Each structure stands twice: as structure tokens, then as C-alpha cells.
Amino acid sequence: MERAYLQEEHDIFRRSLRKFLEKEAYPNFDQWEKEQLVPRDFWKKAGEQGFLCPWVDGKYGGFNADFGYSVVINEEFERVGTGMVGFGLHNDIAMPYIASYGTEVQKKRWLPGAITGDLVSAIAMTEPGAGSDLAAIKTTAIKDGEAYILNGEKTFITNGSAADLVVVVCKTNPQADPPHRGISLLVVEADTLGFKKGKKLDKVGQHSNDTCELIFEDARVPAGNLLGEAGKGFYYLMENLQQERLMVAIQSMTSAEVMLELTIDYVKQREAFGRSISQFQNTQFKLAEMKTEIQIGRTFVDRLIEDHVAGKDVVTEVSMAKWWTTDLAKKVAGECMQLHGGYGYMEEYEIARRYRDVAVSSIYAGSNEIMKVIIGRNMGL
């Protein structure tokens, strides 16, 4: 189907990106999965080719690309593997906070490196005792002269080990009532005294997605690293979560499409009882059902992308898309593995990795249960 927000220039960009990934990513991805890290030299190569933060203003080194380019980048990186999500987080989740709320000094300091791959970014929201309930975070940043003294612990941080700078969600006013009014955003650089990166987390899937704990023990962060106004962090997060959850929906739809493609190829080749299993009615029905649901999801997500580009408030609809598409991707993963039979349970087949990788999508960026709470609240319930 035609996608109105993608033009010929986006198609040219996609072909260029796909050629780059076929040379630099696909042949190395299995090794990155084993090493649990995408190497820095790949980040720099991606930056050299213009695949990092292309939306940034030209005066900082970007080329003012529209959101369609972000869609293309996230889709193509997802096709390599879900473990590449760190690039989408850097491009379209973490760095937009600096572009949106940073001072001119902050933008000049951090945006150019984020474009070249010399700076890898992360955002630290989740804590061992606080996930979707951001108002419950315990990390504090207390003003001390021209600095904030940061204490706390963050977990499940994508790009955590590699990050050169982290947007940290913290409380600059722990006594605020209600608590969310005390939340602020601080940019913490990797060489900050008192900032330590914990062990890499041993995840079920997305192994090349570098994920770790971050620890702050009396870390002294310059007051000039505050993003926007103190106490406004919660509102900044709410403004940007629409895009974050839309990115998850885009990745989920791409993942589902890839899994279906893999399975169609497999069932055409695999034979049972003297014919390919693609000729069995059950196989055809399963594939037809998945194809239909994927098309429905793609149509909905594409419409939301158009609305997002137009600057519309589609928080409710994006919440719907986030839970529905991630649940769909998990369903497709299970059905596709089943159609692979015993081989689907073997690591040498891509569907096994896809099955593992997609499991967490209904949890991160706000659990699907929280998405339904948001929808219900916006229904006036």
C-alpha cells in the first residue's frame, strides 16, 4: 500500500541505508549478538553515512530531515535484528530531549557528536523499584552551589555500557507534592566522578542491545547540565513519550512483517507427506490470518505517523498502537515458530531469535497494561 508520508527521496535513502547495512551489519550481527554489543566503529560508520539523528538542524551537522527518515531508519535497523534498537533510542528518543529542551550551549556541545557517532546517548528512567510509575523514582539530584549531587540507581538502560551521555530522570525536589512536580532531567557524561556503569544484564533476547545498570554515588553534575527547567521533567517526558511509543509500534510492525516473510519462505521449501507444507490448508489459513492482521496494523500505524508528523496529539491512539502491535508481534512470533516445527526452536533459524527478541516489547516504553490505563483514562473512565 502507498505510504503518503514517504516520497521518492525516502526510497532513495532507504536503498542507500539497506546497502550500507548489507555490507556492515548483516554479516556481523551474529557476532554482535554473542558479544552483546554493537561496536563503536559501526556507530561511527553509521554517522559518516548520515544515519544518526538526521533530523537535527543543519547548523549542528544534521540535515533537517523529516520524520519519514526516522521511520525508514528504524524499519531497516529492525530488519537486521531487534538487538539494533539502541540506534532508534539514540536517534529518536534520547537526543530529541536535548534538541527540544537544551540551551544553545548544550546543543552545540552534544548534538554534533551524536550525529557523527562520537557520542552515544541513553535515557535513564527505570529504577529497580520504579518502572511505569515515574513519579515513584528515588534518584535525587540536590543543588549544591553550581552543581547537583546525584544519587540513585537505574536499571534496564539501553546503550548503558556504551553511552557517553545519559539523560537521567531524577528528583531535584524530593519533597514536591504531588511528587511528579519534583522531577527534572539532567545530562550526565560518562566521565563524571561518582557515576559508574554496572554489569551488563543477562537478557532473554535482544542480546546485541547493550543493556546495563547505572549507579550514581554523590556524582557531581554541573548545574549547566540541567535540561529545561527544574521540576518540569515529568511534563517533558509526557510530551516525548508519544514519539517513543510510536517508534515501538513501527519496530513491532516491521518485526511481524519480517517473521511472516521468513515463514512463507520456509513453508514453501519444507515438505511433509510428499508436498510442501505451504499447500496444507491449515498453513494457508494461519498465514492468511497473520497477513490480514499485519496489514490492519500497518494501516493504523501509518495513519498515526501521518498525524504525528502533522503535530497532532494522538497519545490515546499511539497507546492503542503500542499495546496492539506488540501483542500482535508476539502472536506472529509464536505462530511462525510453530509453522517452522522443530527447526523453529533451533538457534540457527532466525525465527528463534525473533521469538526471543519480541517478548519484551509489551513491557518496555510503558507496559501494555499502562497503555490500557491511559486509554481508559482518556475515555473518561
Side-chain angles (χ1 to χ4, degrees):
M1 293 180 66
E2 184 178 347
R3 305 168 74 181
Y5 58 87
L6 296 180
Q7 308 300 321
E8 183 180 359
E9 57 265 31
H10 296 103
D11 293 334
I12 295 170
F13 182 79
R14 187 189 295 275
R15 290 195 293 271
S16 174
L17 172 56
R18 188 170 291 185
K19 184 176 180 181
F20 167 76
L21 294 173
E22 286 172 350
K23 178 183 178 183
E24 302 290 349
Y26 282 99
N28 302 311
F29 187 68
D30 286 344
Q31 186 62 33
W32 297 345
E33 285 276 290
K34 292 175 184 176
E35 295 172 354
Q36 298 189 5
L37 185 71
V38 178
R40 181 56 67 95
D41 68 334
F42 178 81
W43 282 87
K44 291 188 176 182
K45 288 177 182 178
E48 289 170 2
Q49 298 298 317
F51 302 135
L52 298 180
C53 303
W55 48 266
V56 170
D57 192 283
K59 65 180 178 179
Y60 306 113
F63 56 94
N64 300 86
D66 61 53
F67 189 68
Y69 288 87
S70 293
V71 174
V72 169
I73 291 171
N74 277 273
E75 288 177 346
E76 292 304 316
F77 273 76
E78 175 62 40
R79 292 188 71 86
V80 177
T82 310
M84 303 288 279
V85 295
F87 289 87
L89 182 136
H90 171 79
N91 285 351
D92 301 302
I93 297 174
M95 292 311 299
Y97 284 97
I98 292 174
S100 297
Y101 310 113
T103 63
E104 189 62 19
V105 170
Q106 291 172 335
K107 292 176 184 178
K108 288 180 177 178
R109 182 176 180 183
W110 294 315
L111 288 177
I115 294 166
T116 61
D118 291 303
L119 291 179
V120 174
S121 66
I123 183 163
M125 299 187 202
T126 304
E127 298 181 0
S132 296
D133 182 10
L134 288 173
I137 63 168
K138 302 297 183 185
T139 299
T140 60
I142 306 304
K143 193 76 177 292
D144 179 32
E146 294 302 310
Y148 286 96
I149 307 302
L150 184 64
N151 283 284
E153 184 177 345
K154 298 291 183 177
T155 193
F156 308 144
I157 309 305
T158 296
N159 292 344
S161 296
D164 300 291
L165 56 90
V166 184
V167 178
V168 179
V169 181
C170 55
K171 284 186 175 175
T172 50
N173 181 7
Q175 286 75 44
D177 185 22
H180 69 265
R181 292 185 177 174
I183 292 177
S184 301
L185 304 181
L186 274 182
V187 178
V188 181
E189 295 173 286
D191 59 358
T192 300
L193 191 65
F195 171 31
K196 295 187 295 184
K197 297 176 180 180
K199 62 181 181 181
K200 284 187 182 179
L201 300 176
D202 190 13
K203 307 188 301 295
V204 170
Q206 298 192 17
H207 292 155
S208 53
N209 168 9
D210 159 30
T211 311
C212 75
E213 300 170 332
L214 304 178
I215 300 106
F216 307 96
E217 297 177 339
D218 292 330
R220 193 172 184 86
V221 182
N225 285 24
L226 177 72
L227 277 184
E229 297 179 40
K232 294 290 184 68
F234 184 83
Y235 303 100
Y236 299 153
L237 292 166
M238 293 304 102
E239 289 172 6
N240 282 267
L241 281 172
Q242 173 172 301
Q243 178 159 305
E244 178 176 352
R245 289 162 181 166
L246 182 57
M247 299 312 301
V248 174
I250 292 166
Q251 291 160 357
S252 296
M253 290 313 309
T254 304
S255 178
E257 289 164 352
V258 170
M259 289 186 286
L260 182 61
E261 291 169 10
L262 292 170
T263 305
I264 290 172
D265 288 343
Y266 178 81
V267 299
K268 286 180 177 179
Q269 298 170 19
R270 177 68 173 171
E271 290 190 356
F273 305 103
R275 54 178 171 161
S276 71
I277 61 175
S278 65
Q279 294 178 342
F280 289 99
Q281 188 180 67
N282 178 70
T283 303
Q284 294 174 357
F285 281 7
K286 290 292 185 183
L287 293 172
E289 290 167 6
M290 287 189 280
K291 179 68 174 178
T292 302
E293 290 183 282
I294 289 171
Q295 189 63 64
I296 291 168
R298 168 60 70 189
T299 302
F300 184 42
V301 170
D302 279 347
R303 197 200 83 190
L304 293 181
I305 292 170
E306 292 178 23
D307 289 344
H308 182 66
V309 169
K312 296 181 181 179
D313 180 348
V314 284
V315 168
T316 302
E317 292 81 1
V318 166
S319 300
M320 293 174 180
K322 194 275 176 182
W323 83 255
W324 194 85
T325 60
T326 56
D327 274 10
L328 174 63
K330 289 165 69 174
K331 175 184 175 182
V332 169
E335 295 280 15
C336 288
M337 177 180 274
Q338 185 72 21
L339 288 171
H340 275 73
Y343 289 103
Y345 203 61
M346 300 295 107
E347 288 291 342
E348 64 188 276
Y349 282 81
E350 186 176 342
I351 192 62
R353 169 170 57 77
R354 294 277 176 181
Y355 180 87
R356 288 186 285 103
D357 287 351
V358 79
V360 73
S361 63
S362 60
I363 298 172
Y364 58 34
S367 70
N368 285 3
E369 291 75 16
I370 294 299
M371 296 302 99
K372 294 171 187 178
V373 168
I374 293 169
I375 296 163
R377 184 184 301 135
N378 292 345
M379 292 170 64
L381 304 177

